[in-house]
Amino acid sequence: QVQPVETGGGSVPVGGSLSLSCAASEGSFSGYSVSWFRQATGKEREFVAGSKWGGGTNKYYLDSVKGRFTFSRNNAEGTVQLRMNNLKAEDTAIYYCAVGRPILSSLRQVSSYGYWGQGTKVDVSS
């Protein structure tokens, strides 16, 4: 059993920055892949960024956030971060930390993750 908990959401103007963090309040991320997803009002949940456990240093991003968002994982501390720069209004959503054991081809699929945080809201105002 793993229970991820997100922190760091908030409200920023367009062009601003935020950092999100995810840690396990129960269990550990060791042996699991951890990714960030987001869900905007009226839209489906979508993959934002992540990496596969045992997949080396490769990181994967939603095309629209490449060059603006940075995913990182600190295994020693048991945390995962998402640094978001140059935020746009369309980045407004609830951001979720997801934990699971997906195969690489399924890394971006919601159904590949069995443990989810409660989410943290990011509001980017124009």
Side-chain angles (χ1 to χ4, degrees):
Q1 181 77 15
V2 180
Q3 181 58 58
V5 177
E6 309 94 341
T7 56
S11 298
V12 293
V14 168
S17 298
L18 278 175
S19 288
L20 306 182
S21 186
C22 179
S25 65
E26 287 183 38
S28 165
F29 292 159
S30 179
Y32 288 96
S33 298
V34 183
S35 294
W36 289 97
F37 284 74
R38 69 185 182 187
Q39 188 166 18
T41 302
K43 295 190 175 181
E44 293 188 353
R45 194 168 296 191
E46 64 179 354
F47 174 88
V48 176
S51 65
K52 188 181 179 307
W53 177 263
T57 58
N58 292 331
K59 301 170 187 178
Y60 303 88
Y61 295 93
L62 179 68
D63 282 349
S64 63
V65 308
K66 285 180 181 177
R68 300 188 297 120
F69 289 14
T70 302
F71 174 92
S72 61
R73 176 169 178 161
N74 187 323
N75 290 325
E77 294 185 354
T79 59
V80 171
Q81 288 79 37
L82 185 68
R83 175 65 179 175
M84 306 183 292
N85 294 327
N86 191 21
L87 282 159
K88 304 178 179 181
E90 51 264 40
D91 295 318
T92 294
I94 297 176
Y95 284 69
Y96 297 91
C97 181
V99 179
R101 293 192 170 115
I103 57 175
L104 186 57
S105 60
S106 301
L107 189 74
R108 299 170 186 265
Q109 296 178 13
V110 170
S111 60
S112 296
Y113 298 84
Y115 304 104
W116 292 82
Q118 296 278 57
T120 185
K121 188 171 183 180
V122 172
D123 186 12
V124 186
S125 57
S126 55

